[in-house]
Amino acid sequence: MSPLLLSYLSSFRAVVITWPLAAAALALPILAWQYRRAGVLRWSWAISVYLFVLSLLLLALITLLPIPDDFAAYCASRNRPVHLIPFGFIHNLFYGSFWDALQIMLNVLVFVPLGLYARTLLRLTARGALLLGLAVSLLIEATQFTALWGAAPCRYRVADIDDVILNVFGTWLGIMAARRILTHQAAS
């Protein structure tokens, strides 16, 4: 198995382990507010809120993890670059390895729920949802560029403009999926 995939497997395990706690901490107050406001709580709303919390937690953990076990050794042996030239992923998609293509697809797919939920749960306009996706992606890349805002002794993740482009594209796909859902709901 690829080292990249193994490193993200720890992130996935962390999401699975911490999700019930995060769902309780974040989703239950939202659901309580919804119940107090409307006097009723639909199961579809509750499930949507829990899945939204899961997708936000996944974004956070993929951004932060995996953290090197020994920062001193890691920092001494590696210098994580910053990629500022856009559309380098196109070369990787056609001439890179399977793992390069997988990473490109995951950069897109991990932001689809944000676009979907920004439109359906948060009721943002398409432009607002796209700007939210851009802002979240820029925050993630800034976090990686600044080595966790200075909390880590060196950059251990690659800050990449292509990630921003792919993340915003994933947000747009989520917005398009939400458009179909909202159109279907309005018709029924």
Side-chain angles (χ1 to χ4, degrees), residues 8-36:
Y8 282 102
L9 201 54
S10 70
S11 298
F12 181 73
R13 280 192 209 116
V15 167
V16 169
I17 291 167
T18 60
W19 179 65
L21 297 174
L26 297 173
L28 288 178
I30 296 168
L31 295 173
W33 171 79
Q34 173 65 20
Y35 179 75
R36 185 154 191 235

Side-chain angles (χ1 to χ4, degrees), residues 87-177:
F87 303 108
F89 69 87
I90 294 171
H91 180 269
N92 290 343
L93 189 59
F94 292 108
Y95 302 109
S97 69
F98 168 77
W99 303 112
D100 291 332
L102 181 63
Q103 186 174 0
I104 289 167
M105 287 188 300
L106 290 174
N107 265 318
V108 172
L109 291 177
V110 78
F111 268 74
V112 170
L114 183 64
L116 177 71
Y117 290 126
R119 288 287 289 134
T120 57
L121 284 180
L122 302 177
R123 303 282 187 212
L124 295 178
T125 64
R127 173 183 266 165
L130 203 59
L131 289 173
L132 178 64
L134 175 63
V136 170
S137 185
L138 288 172
L139 178 65
I140 288 170
E141 294 308 313
T143 301
Q144 292 173 346
F145 174 73
T146 60
L148 293 177
W149 302 98
C154 67
R155 282 193 305 270
Y156 64 94
R157 302 293 307 267
V158 176
D160 192 341
I161 189 66
D162 285 341
D163 289 353
V164 175
I165 294 166
L166 293 167
N167 297 159
V168 170
F169 178 63
T171 303
W172 179 79
L173 290 176
I175 292 166
M176 293 299 105

